[in-house]
Amino acid sequence: MERQNLEAGWLLGSFWSLLLGALVVSTLKGPQQLLALDLGSENASWEPEEVPGNESSEHTFFSLDYQHVQVPFEITLWIMLASLAKIGFHLYNKLPSVVPESCLLIFVGLIMGGIIYGLNDKSPPVMDSDVFFLYLLPPIVLDAGYFMPSRPFFENIGTILLYAVVGTIVNVVGIGFSLYGICQVKAFHLQDISLLHNLLFGSLIAAVDPVAVLSVFEEIHVNEKLHILVFGESLLNDAVTVVLYKLLRSFCEMSTIKTVDVFAGIGKFFVVAIGGVLVGLIFGMTAAFTTRFTKNIRVIEPLFVFLYSYLSYLTAEMFHLSGIVAIIACAMGMKRYVEANISLKSHTTVKYFMKMWSSVSDTLIFIFLGVSTIGDNHEWNWAYICFTIVFCLLWRALGVLVLTFFVNRLHVNTVTSKDQFIIAYGGLRGAICFSLVFLLPDFPRKKLFIAATTVIILFTVFVQGMTIRPLVELLDVKRKRESAPTVGEQIHMRFLDHLLAGIEDICGHWGQYYWKDKFEYFNSKYLQKFLLREYSQPKSSIVLLYEKLERKHAIELVEAGQLIHTPSHASLLDSRKSAGMVKIVDGLNSDVLENIQKILARNLYKIRRTVPAYNRHTLPGETGTEEQAKEILILRHRSLRLQMNKSDLAHSGKEKDDSYSGHDDSSSKYKLCRSLTVRDPEKEPCVKYNRSKSACIILPLQAACAERVKKEETEKNTPSEMPWFPINDS
Amino acid sequence: MLIMVDSKYSNIVLGYNDELIWKHLKHLCLQTVTSEQIEHLHRRFKQLSGDQPTIRKEHFDNIPDLEFNPIRSKIVHAFFDKRNLRQESDGLADEINFEDFLTIMSYFRPIEMNMNEEQLDHFRKEKLKFLFHMYDSDHDGKITLQEYRNVVEELLSGNPHLEKESARSIADGAMMEAASICVGQMEPDQVYEGITFEDFLKMWQGIDIETKMHVRFLNMETIAQCH
């Protein structure tokens, strides 16, 4: 492994240097001048041109036209370099655990910037703010919003909003005034920076950056609540940052500032925030509505998700509303309806593309950050920069402390002191600050601000990013539970929700559960009818989760050829037990019950797995009968697979409808299942309760197999040897 | 401040100084409830019962929002469940008075800051016992598969087009999970009867019910507590 890694490292490194060289060359002016190929004409091309009267019109077999492809070529090269660097990090397993990826990427960017600067003797390309805000930021925020777990988010929304809005304002004002205080000290030569400028600087440096937070917190796996708090805050404080920054910038240009302007600013905040949410929701609902009609063109379904989200972002930016809030609202709003409407493949595509784009953006941002650091747009002033760092940390800690104090008074679910430390320490600044500082109007001290911002970002990402993991371990923060919620837990949580809503209704007092229930009611009555394609079978999250689990089980089974006791199997015996033999079961002791189960198991040996109902959940200690059943199933499975492959080739290119709801097939499946059961006479009395519709509906895989099975049956006519996937049981 | 208590102390108008009765009410595990909250609940009680001293099941039909609650019957049932009312007998009461109403509401009081380990444990067990009684409808001390199915069916009854069989399969799956959590690896011949209260406790270990199972209303006055 080590040797492989080393070899891969060398290969990668050499390839990477080559590409870097190409990039450096391309950034130099007029690459064509460097090349010795003189082709006798400006626009060299492949075809030999007929130039009348020109003796030296040679046939050009090899020519170079770089201008033609320059822009896309450079972009691709950058992305390629960034991604190769990323591969490089992960070759050495220990590295990402010690140094977060963002640090490494900035480091790589620094190197590249240094090389370009050294060769070019001028500043390397600085990341254009437009490029950042319009192209690089939206994918990351969309990814964050789409995969945000909505339940903990809304449970903690009060706290998140408090931190985001009040916390940011406190930070801005605090940092601004403190720095102004520092500027008054004569020794630092900073008197020309006015209060307004300090406040402006404070507004752009105070905001916690979602990109940086995401990349660091991903690796430390704190518990869900903490993650949601910091992350939600970093996303939502964009609204405040946008308003404050724009407000203060416009103040800079105005000669006098009246109180009315301040109030206008506060009003603007509400407009920005609520407007952003509205825009996002409108686009989200439209997206959900559009996907209702995409049944026949499954291929472009993922496109709608991305198009609508991006449109919402751009529209919000157009109206100077908060684009980040809009895109989050869009993603969260459309998620549940779109997922129900689009096919499974489209769903997977959406998820993967989102992850891919956000990963690319993330990488590019950090590399550019590193590259842009090198250059001569910095002015250094020790005092200002050091105090900025100090005040950032200080005010963040203060803000978190005070706000948490209030939060803990109002809520029962307290934020512990360890959590508080992590929230305060996890307030990383990132590329948003950087872009905002470049957007500042030109004034004498701008370069100082740029330098300060750069230092802050580097400090938070490197120092705080690297030390947060050991600190988390040191403080023993409650780590995230690795397992996803089980079916049982979902049931319980749902039960609790309804219970609390009911109790609140009885008490006659409103609470958070009231709103949740009201929304669910509104949803099921109106929204679902409008936005879901197949309203005929709305699925609750429990059912979806259950289907997902069953599908996962089925896939594992198919791949491993092993028997897994699926839940549906449990109902088989018990339904028979309870429905058919109620009298006997009542008042039975366990021995008799076991006997009955054994008898049943033996009788059903040939058609299904023999283990009685919910006695086990895995396969240890297989009995002889089980082995045989297993073998039969494996053989069957193999032959079915071959058949399926053959028939797949026979099918034309039309994509199979394999969405969660397989309604079209359901009726045929019902008949299918029943016919299979009916056919076997010896199972007749026992079998009546066996065919449960649910198992038939859920798995298209099983439908395909079952169809093949049916065909086989008609061919072979061996009812006793019925191939029976455990999945089919119920 | 007056408190009118329509219970066995029917038509007694209490002055604020009536320590004994006040203490009795507080003793119903309602240490964190203030007089305003008791008053509010009492008003609500009177509204529900139509100024009668007791409430019957029919009175709960007057709450319009409760209609949409899928587990409505279980909730109402829980109010009349004698096990929840801390009475020694079993079965269902026909009617409850204000004291019983308060007893049920006490299960939903929020966690206090100054509870020690033992109190917390008792607190948690109380709430989980309440939930357990809701699941276990036939009062036999175990949640059988049928009862679990019943719960899931009710939960999913909001979707009229969902097949009953799906609900059953889900319940079966959950039951198997419960079996695996509670008993672990079982012998092939072992039968899992049902979820007992100890198993139920195990299942809820991951969920912090102390913080989740409280009605926000009961939280409002924590700053201005009586005692």
Side-chain angles (χ1 to χ4, degrees):
Chain A
M1 260 303 267
E2 279 304 311
R3 208 168 65 98
Q4 264 183 350
N5 274 353
L6 216 59
E7 285 172 1
W10 276 115
L11 262 171
L12 215 64
S14 42
F15 191 46
W16 195 81
S17 326
L18 200 71
L19 282 179
L20 181 62
L23 192 66
V24 168
V25 161
S26 70
T27 57
L28 300 173
K29 274 214 175 106
Q32 283 190 313
Q33 296 162 9
L34 295 175
L35 298 165
L37 294 165
D38 192 325
L39 304 159
S41 86
E42 269 281 300
N43 300 317
S45 60
W46 281 108
E47 295 88 46
E49 283 179 58
E50 298 269 313
V51 182
N54 194 343
E55 289 311 334
S56 61
S57 64
E58 302 171 21
H59 289 267
T60 55
F61 290 111
F62 185 69
S63 53
L64 191 81
D65 182 7
Y66 186 65
Q67 311 288 38
H68 187 57
V69 296
Q70 179 169 17
V71 172
F73 195 79
E74 278 182 9
I75 294 175
T76 315
L77 266 186
W78 275 108
I79 299 180
M80 179 79 85
L81 276 165
S83 312
L84 284 176
K86 241 183 156 156
I87 299 180
F89 302 149
H90 287 282
L91 277 180
Y92 305 100
N93 296 340
K94 295 243 177 86
L95 202 56
S97 58
V98 172
V99 185
E101 221 174 69
S102 41
C103 301
L104 291 169
L105 288 169
I106 293 186
F107 194 61
V108 168
L110 281 172
I111 296 176
M112 284 172 60
I115 294 175
I116 294 180
Y117 186 64
L119 288 176
N120 256 355
D121 210 23
K122 70 172 172 74
S123 300
V126 171
M127 177 160 62
D128 189 12
S129 295
D130 268 348
V131 167
F132 174 70
F133 278 113
L134 290 180
Y135 300 114
L136 292 178
L137 188 61
I140 298 178
V141 185
L142 176 63
D143 179 43
Y146 195 82
F147 291 106
M148 174 97 79
S150 41
R151 198 200 149 87
F153 182 72
F154 285 112
E155 265 181 17
N156 293 306
I157 189 91
T159 321
I160 292 176
L161 279 176
L162 195 68
Y163 281 131
V165 177
V166 179
T168 312
I169 294 179
V170 163
N171 272 331
V172 168
V173 169
I175 293 177
F177 276 98
S178 320
L179 283 175
Y180 183 60
I182 293 295
C183 289
Q184 303 302 62
V185 177
K186 291 212 165 63
F188 297 142
H189 310 292
L190 291 168
Q191 271 121 339
D192 53 332
I193 308 180
S194 67
L195 176 64
L196 206 54
H197 284 137
N198 275 313
L199 278 175
L200 189 56
F201 181 65
S203 76
L204 62 91
I205 202 83
V208 172
D209 189 76
V211 181
V213 164
L214 248 182
S215 64
V216 166
F217 267 63
E218 283 270 299
E219 291 156 20
I220 59 177
H221 292 303
V222 290
N223 68 25
E224 181 184 65
K225 180 169 177 230
L226 195 55
H227 189 210
I228 272 287
L229 277 178
V230 183
F231 184 49
E233 181 212 340
S234 68
L235 281 177
L236 292 184
N237 67 15
D238 174 64
V240 183
T241 310
V242 160
V243 169
L244 278 176
Y245 180 77
K246 292 201 170 121
L247 194 70
L248 288 167
R249 206 169 74 173
S250 57
F251 279 1
C252 279
E253 281 142 29
M254 291 183 345
S255 45
T256 51
I257 302 163
K258 300 174 281 245
T259 15
V260 112
D261 295 324
V262 179
F263 282 115
I266 296 175
K268 189 118 198 290
F269 162 69
F270 285 106
V271 168
V272 162
I274 297 176
V277 170
L278 275 176
V279 167
L281 283 179
I282 291 174
F283 277 100
M285 294 297 116
T286 319
F289 187 66
T290 313
T291 53
R292 198 174 148 188
F293 304 107
T294 56
K295 188 164 175 186
N296 300 321
I297 28 161
R298 294 275 186 202
V299 215
I300 62 170
E301 270 175 344
L303 199 60
F304 285 116
V305 172
F306 294 112
L307 286 178
Y308 277 106
S309 317
Y310 195 44
L311 264 182
S312 74
Y313 181 80
L314 293 174
T315 314
E317 288 292 324
M318 183 169 72
F319 289 113
H320 288 294
L321 305 170
S322 169
I324 292 185
V325 172
I327 207 174
I328 292 173
C330 180
M332 292 183 89
M334 75 173 165
K335 182 172 172 184
R336 74 197 264 190
Y337 305 107
V338 160
E339 283 192 354
N341 279 340
I342 63 180
S343 73
L344 187 59
K345 283 185 191 163
S346 303
H347 187 228
T348 315
T349 311
V350 165
K351 285 200 288 196
Y352 268 102
F353 260 88
M354 242 184 235
K355 286 290 180 196
M356 187 186 81
W357 266 324
S358 75
S359 176
V360 167
S361 280
D362 189 66
T363 318
L364 277 178
I365 287 176
F366 282 115
I367 292 229
F368 272 132
L369 210 58
V371 170
S372 312
T373 313
I374 314 284
D376 21 278
N377 31 11
H378 297 299
E379 180 198 327
W380 194 262
N381 181 307
W382 276 106
Y384 198 76
I385 291 174
C386 292
F387 276 108
T388 310
I389 298 180
V390 167
F391 287 133
C392 276
L393 287 171
L394 191 70
W395 280 102
R396 174 114 184 124
L398 267 177
V400 169
L401 261 171
V402 171
L403 286 175
T404 315
F405 178 69
F406 282 114
V407 164
N408 284 346
R409 299 299 293 276
L410 294 178
H411 282 288
V412 167
N413 222 350
T414 57
V415 182
T416 68
S417 50
K418 287 179 193 167
D419 290 346
Q420 284 173 45
F421 176 76
I422 296 289
I423 294 175
Y425 201 67
L428 301 174
R429 273 74 170 173
I432 292 187
C433 318
F434 198 67
S435 317
L436 284 177
V437 87
F438 276 102
L439 283 175
L440 279 176
D442 272 322
F443 61 93
R445 287 292 190 158
K446 184 172 170 182
K447 288 193 173 177
L448 175 61
F449 284 175
I450 295 177
T453 315
T454 314
V455 172
I456 286 278
I457 295 175
L458 290 177
F459 179 80
T460 55
V461 173
F462 275 97
V463 174
Q464 286 179 240
M466 280 206 271
T467 53
I468 199 168
R469 196 196 172 93
L471 278 173
V472 166
E473 278 162 19
L474 202 68
L475 292 176
D476 196 28
V477 174
K478 207 161 65 163
R479 291 297 191 92
K480 173 168 103 168
R481 284 177 59 221
E482 291 302 327
S483 54
T486 56
V487 183
E489 271 176 16
Q490 279 241 336
I491 295 176
H492 293 318
M493 294 310 295
R494 185 75 84 82
F495 191 85
L496 195 60
D497 279 344
H498 284 306
L499 170 65
L500 288 167
I503 294 286
E504 283 185 346
D505 285 335
I506 294 174
C507 285
H509 195 94
W510 293 1
Q512 55 189 129
Y513 295 97
Y514 179 81
W515 290 113
K516 188 164 177 214
D517 251 12
K518 265 257 171 338
F519 173 70
E520 289 295 328
Y521 173 66
F522 174 68
N523 177 45
S524 51
K525 256 224 143 166
Y526 303 109
L527 285 181
Q528 278 186 336
K529 271 189 202 147
F530 190 58
L531 297 174
L532 286 185
R533 182 187 322 126
E534 284 130 351
Y535 180 63
S536 51
Q537 187 153 334
K539 293 209 168 113
S540 62
S541 60
I542 294 184
V543 179
L544 280 174
L545 180 66
Y546 177 69
E547 286 175 341
K548 228 194 284 185
L549 286 175
E550 259 222 5
R551 177 176 274 112
K552 206 175 95 176
H553 274 155
I555 292 175
E556 282 169 15
L557 180 129
V558 164
E559 285 174 7
Q562 276 182 347
L563 300 179
I564 302 176
H565 290 272
T566 58
S568 46
H569 192 51
S571 62
L572 154 68
L573 281 158
D574 216 71
S575 59
R576 220 175 307 114
K577 192 167 64 164
S578 52
M581 295 178 276
V582 167
K583 278 195 195 141
I584 313 172
V585 167
D586 271 338
L588 267 181
N589 57 6
S590 54
D591 287 344
V592 183
L593 209 58
E594 277 174 49
N595 279 335
I596 290 179
Q597 283 175 350
K598 266 193 198 152
I599 293 168
L600 292 172
R602 236 176 274 130
N603 274 340
L604 299 174
Y605 149 60
K606 281 190 181 148
I607 47 164
R608 60 194 67 208
R609 282 198 321 270
T610 59
V611 177
Y614 44 88
N615 284 355
R616 290 198 232 161
H617 68 297
T618 55
L619 265 193
E622 291 167 322
T623 64
T625 55
E626 273 205 321
E627 294 276 15
Q628 282 180 309
K630 198 176 171 181
E631 272 182 37
I632 292 175
L633 274 160
I634 292 177
L635 287 170
R636 253 319 160 185
H637 166 62
R638 245 184 251 146
S639 59
L640 283 173
R641 220 189 219 174
L642 288 171
Q643 283 206 334
M644 260 169 72
N645 288 339
K646 277 188 223 153
S647 60
D648 269 9
L649 292 172
H651 275 294
S652 56
K654 189 171 180 205
E655 188 194 304
K656 221 162 183 249
D657 184 342
D658 54 1
S659 60
Y660 275 120
S661 45
H663 299 289
D664 304 336
D665 303 322
S666 57
S667 49
S668 56
K669 284 179 213 172
Y670 292 175
K671 293 185 211 135
L672 176 67
C673 303
R674 293 227 185 84
S675 66
L676 279 171
T677 57
V678 163
R679 200 116 43 96
D680 196 338
E682 59 182 21
K683 292 191 273 51
E684 190 62 60
C686 314
V687 137
K688 238 204 276 181
Y689 307 99
N690 299 349
R691 297 318 279 147
S692 149
K693 291 182 198 159
S694 62
C696 287
I697 299 175
I698 291 170
L699 296 166
L701 166 71
Q702 139 200 346
C705 295
E707 278 172 88
R708 306 291 175 278
V709 162
K710 190 174 182 182
K711 284 187 201 149
E712 278 198 318
E713 284 314 303
T714 45
E715 293 161 24
K716 289 195 179 177
N717 203 14
T718 51
S720 58
E721 227 196 338
M722 203 156 318
W724 208 257
F725 280 110
I727 321 161
N728 274 338
D729 298 343
S730 208
Chain B
M1 207 180 297
L2 291 178
I3 303 175
M4 297 190 74
V5 180
D6 282 346
S7 62
K8 14 187 150 159
Y9 324 101
S10 58
N11 297 327
I12 296 177
V13 174
L14 296 174
Y16 191 70
N17 300 325
D18 200 339
E19 283 295 311
L20 238 82
I21 297 185
W22 179 246
K23 273 199 183 130
H24 178 79
L25 280 178
K26 281 217 150 196
H27 185 65
L28 292 176
C29 310
L30 294 176
Q31 270 88 359
T32 53
V33 180
T34 66
S35 57
E36 281 112 358
Q37 288 167 348
I38 296 184
E39 210 183 299
H40 176 98
L41 282 172
H42 187 246
R43 258 184 271 130
R44 185 67 180 155
F45 182 84
K46 285 188 76 171
Q47 194 185 20
L48 282 177
S49 70
D51 285 335
Q52 303 292 316
T54 56
I55 287 186
R56 295 172 174 279
K57 281 206 185 129
E58 300 81 58
H59 289 119
F60 282 98
D61 294 339
N62 299 332
I63 307 172
D65 289 324
L66 204 57
E67 288 302 316
F68 306 122
N69 203 312
I71 54 169
R72 184 187 167 283
S73 58
K74 282 211 181 329
I75 297 177
V76 173
H77 198 93
F79 271 80
F80 293 89
D81 193 339
K82 283 200 183 157
R83 297 174 294 177
N84 290 338
L85 297 173
R86 301 166 203 267
Q87 294 170 15
E88 293 312 317
S89 54
D90 205 9
L92 286 180
D94 286 330
E95 48 187 26
I96 54 171
N97 54 29
F98 182 56
E99 205 179 306
D100 300 325
F101 187 70
L102 280 183
T103 313
I104 301 286
M105 292 309 299
S106 74
Y107 285 102
F108 293 93
R109 70 191 199 282
I111 194 172
E112 287 168 66
M113 305 301 158
N114 51 357
M115 280 183 165
N116 59 21
E117 278 298 314
E118 198 190 306
Q119 282 176 323
L120 265 175
D121 193 48
H122 177 74
F123 189 68
R124 188 185 160 84
K125 278 217 173 96
E126 291 263 310
K127 296 193 186 244
L128 285 175
K129 198 115 190 131
F130 185 81
L131 275 178
F132 187 75
H133 289 153
M134 286 185 80
Y135 277 75
D136 179 24
S137 39
D138 60 1
H139 303 217
D140 63 354
K142 309 197 273 277
I143 305 176
T144 59
L145 179 66
Q146 194 49 46
E147 285 165 351
Y148 209 150
R149 273 193 195 154
N150 188 263
V151 168
V152 175
E153 272 166 25
E154 277 197 357
L155 275 180
L156 297 176
S157 61
N159 302 331
H161 302 277
L162 200 62
E163 299 292 340
K164 219 175 177 209
E165 300 297 334
S166 314
R168 296 180 108 185
S169 310
I170 292 170
D172 299 340
M175 197 66 172
M176 269 210 353
E177 247 173 36
S180 69
I181 294 175
C182 307
V183 189
Q185 297 297 350
M186 294 176 76
E187 299 300 312
D189 295 338
Q190 226 180 334
V191 174
Y192 189 53
E193 300 277 348
I195 306 176
T196 60
F197 184 55
E198 282 73 39
D199 298 338
F200 196 67
L201 283 177
K202 271 191 229 170
M203 282 165 68
W204 279 84
Q205 240 169 14
I207 310 173
D208 53 344
I209 194 169
E210 306 93 330
T211 51
K212 287 202 155 71
M213 184 165 158
H214 71 275
V215 175
R216 187 172 277 220
F217 145 81
L218 286 176
N219 201 12
M220 267 180 359
E221 318 290 338
T222 43
I223 301 173
Q225 284 184 21
C226 264
H227 66 289

